[in-house]
Amino acid sequence: MEKRSTSRRLKKKTTRRVDPTIVICVMLLAMVSVVTIFSTTYLQYDSGSYSATIMQIAWFAIGTVLAAVVMQLDRDTLYQFAPVAYGLGLLLLVLVLIFYDRDLAITNGARSWITIGPLSVQPSELMKVAYIIMMAYLVHGYNDEARKRNIEEMPARERIQFDLKFLIKLTLWTLPPLALIIAQNDLGTTIVFLMMFIGVIFVSGITWYIILPALFTFVLIALILIVLVVYERELLYSLGFQDYQFARIDSWLDPFGNSATDSYQLAQSLKAIGSGQILGKGLGVFQVHVPVRESDMIFATIGENFGFIGSSFVVLVYFILIFQMISIAFSAHDAFYASMVSGVVMMFSFHILENIGMSIGLLPLTGIPLPLISAGGTALVTSMLSIGLVLSIRYNEEVEEEDLAKNPVVKAVRWVNKLVPRKLFNKLV
C-alpha cells in the first residue's frame, strides 16, 4: 500500500485551464455579430436573405474549431512552427497576386481575394497570425542572446549597436509580407501590419534610446504626409498614391462637403449612428441607408438599432477582452508569449479603433472590419485563430510533456516542424 501511494504522489497531475473571461467576451461578440448581421441583411429588406447570417454562424463554428486546435499547441511547438507559418503565409501572398479575383479587384481596387467556388479568401488576413508568431520567434531569440551577453552591463554604445542590429532584423523579416500586401493595393492591411510591428518593438526589450528616435521619426513622416496631402499631392501621386485614397482623406476632413459621392458612406454612417440616440430604434428598424452595413460599416447598424447604450456595451466587451489578453501576457513571464500576445493585442486594438473611429468620423475610411462582429469569413477565422493563440498560454502552462506527446494535434504539428531545414533557417535568422 505504501508503494502504491508513493507512486501516486510522484505522478504530477495535468491541469488545463481555459480562460473564462476571454471565452465569455468572444461569445458575447459572436451574439452581437449574428444578431446585427441578421438585422442588416434580413430584417432591413422586404425580401431579405438568411444566407449572410447562416454563413456567419458557419464561420464562427469553423473558427471555434480552429481556435480549439491552436489552443492545444504548447509553447515549444508553436515556437518551432513559426518558420512554417511564415513561409506558408508568404506563399499565399504570392499566389493571391497571380490568382486574385478580377471582379472584386475592379469593385474595391485591391487584389486581395482568391475566390474558390462560393467562398472568397483573403490570404493577408491569415498572414497576420503567421507574422505574429514569427515576430515572437525573433524576439525570443533576441532575449536569449541578450541574457547570454548580459546586455544590462553593456556600455551604452555597445547596447545601442546590439539593439539596432535586432531592429534591422525585425524590419527585414517584416518587409516581404509588407511589400506583397502593398502590391495588392491594400492600404488598410498594410497599416495593420505596421501597427503590429510597432507593438512587438515596444515589448521586445529594445532600449528606449532607439525606440524614442524611431517613434519621433514615424510621427514626423506622418505629419509630412498630412502636409503633402493638403498642399502637394502631385508628389504623392508620383509615389504611388491613388485618387480613392485622397477621396477618403477628403471625406474624413469634410464628411458633408461631398456627401453625394466620395463622402456619402461616412455621412450616412454619422446620420445612422446619431439617429439611434440613447436606446436605439430597435432591431431591424432602419431609416438611413448606409452601404456595406454588414461588414466595414457594421457599427452604424449597432448605433442605429441599439443606440449609445448598445454601442457602449460593445466597446466595454472589447475593453475587457483586450485587458484580459494583456494580463495573460504579463502572467506568462516569457518573451515569446509576451510578443505573441502583443501582436494580437495591437491587431485587435487597431481594428477596433479604426473601424469604430471611421464610422463616427474620427479617422479616415479604410476597409478594416470590426473583429468578431463584421461579416467576412477570413477575417473572422483570423480573429479566432488569434484568440486560440492567447488561450494556449494558460491552457498548456501546467501540462506535462508526456501528455503533450500523446496529443494528436501536437504530434501532427511537431511532425510538420521536422520538415523545416533548421540549420539553413537558423543562418537566416
Side-chain angles (χ1 to χ4, degrees), residues 29-42:
L29 293 171
M31 287 189 287
V32 171
S33 174
V34 172
V35 169
T36 307
I37 290 172
F38 176 72
S39 175
T40 303
T41 59
Y42 181 76

Side-chain angles (χ1 to χ4, degrees), residues 221-261:
I221 292 172
L223 291 174
I224 291 172
L225 284 174
I226 292 173
V227 172
L228 291 175
V229 166
V230 177
Y231 297 106
E232 193 58 52
R233 291 191 175 182
E234 291 302 321
L235 176 59
L236 294 178
Y237 276 121
S238 66
L239 294 175
F241 283 76
Q242 299 184 27
D243 287 328
Y244 81 93
Q245 294 167 338
F246 290 121
R248 289 179 175 181
I249 294 173
D250 291 337
S251 64
W252 167 55
L253 295 174
D254 188 7
F256 296 97
N258 196 9
S259 58
T261 55

Side-chain angles (χ1 to χ4, degrees), residues 136 139 199-200 203 329-330 332-343 393:
V139 171
V200 170
V203 301
F330 274 106
H333 302 293
D334 181 272
F336 176 76
Y337 273 151
S339 302
M340 187 176 74
V341 177
S342 174
I393 297 175

Side-chain angles (χ1 to χ4, degrees), residues 20-224:
T21 304
I22 290 181
V23 172
I24 291 171
C25 287
V26 171
M27 290 175 63
L28 289 172
L29 293 171
M31 287 189 287
V32 171
S33 174
V34 172
V35 169
T36 307
I37 290 172
F38 176 72
S39 175
T40 303
T41 59
Y42 181 76
L43 296 179
Q44 182 177 193
Y45 306 105
D46 294 333
S47 57
S49 170
Y50 288 109
S51 61
T53 306
I54 294 172
M55 284 301 298
Q56 190 73 351
I57 294 172
W59 281 118
F60 264 113
I62 293 169
T64 301
V65 171
L66 293 175
V69 169
V70 171
M71 188 175 65
Q72 308 290 320
L73 303 179
D74 63 292
R75 181 206 179 282
D76 291 338
T77 304
L78 270 175
Y79 176 79
Q80 296 295 327
F81 187 65
V84 179
Y86 183 83
L88 289 175
L90 287 183
L91 177 61
L92 289 174
L93 291 181
V94 171
L95 289 176
V96 75
L97 289 174
I98 302 171
F99 302 107
Y100 67 91
D101 189 307
R102 269 61 179 174
D103 294 332
L104 284 175
I106 293 171
T107 303
N108 53 43
R111 298 176 293 175
S112 303
W113 286 268
I114 296 176
T115 298
I116 305 171
L119 302 177
S120 293
V121 179
Q122 189 175 5
S124 58
E125 286 290 332
L126 299 174
M127 183 64 200
K128 291 175 184 176
V129 179
Y131 175 77
I132 287 169
I133 302 173
M134 188 64 206
M135 290 297 102
Y137 181 99
L138 295 173
V139 171
H140 169 80
Y142 161 79
N143 278 266
D144 266 3
E145 183 66 20
R147 277 192 295 270
K148 291 176 183 177
R149 298 180 59 173
N150 194 17
I151 61 169
E152 298 299 330
E153 303 298 326
M154 281 184 181
R157 184 174 179 179
E158 189 178 344
R159 169 70 188 273
I160 290 173
Q161 290 176 344
F162 180 77
D163 286 355
L164 190 58
K165 183 180 178 181
F166 173 64
L167 181 59
I168 293 171
K169 181 186 291 186
L170 280 181
T171 304
L172 290 175
W173 283 93
T174 300
L175 286 178
L178 206 60
L180 290 169
I181 292 168
I182 291 172
Q184 295 174 21
N185 200 26
D186 189 348
L187 180 61
T189 304
T190 302
I191 298 173
V192 174
F193 271 81
L194 289 174
M195 292 299 106
M196 291 191 293
F197 175 68
I198 292 170
V200 170
I201 288 175
F202 272 100
V203 301
S204 64
I206 292 177
T207 177
W208 284 93
Y209 289 114
I210 293 176
I211 291 179
L212 286 179
L215 185 62
F216 174 78
T217 303
F218 179 80
V219 173
L220 182 62
I221 292 172
L223 291 174
I224 291 172

Side-chain angles (χ1 to χ4, degrees), residues 347-363:
M347 181 184 73
F348 269 82
S349 298
F350 183 76
H351 270 262
I352 295 163
L353 290 173
E354 171 59 29
N355 185 279
I356 295 177
M358 73 180 188
S359 298
I360 60 178
L362 292 180
L363 294 169

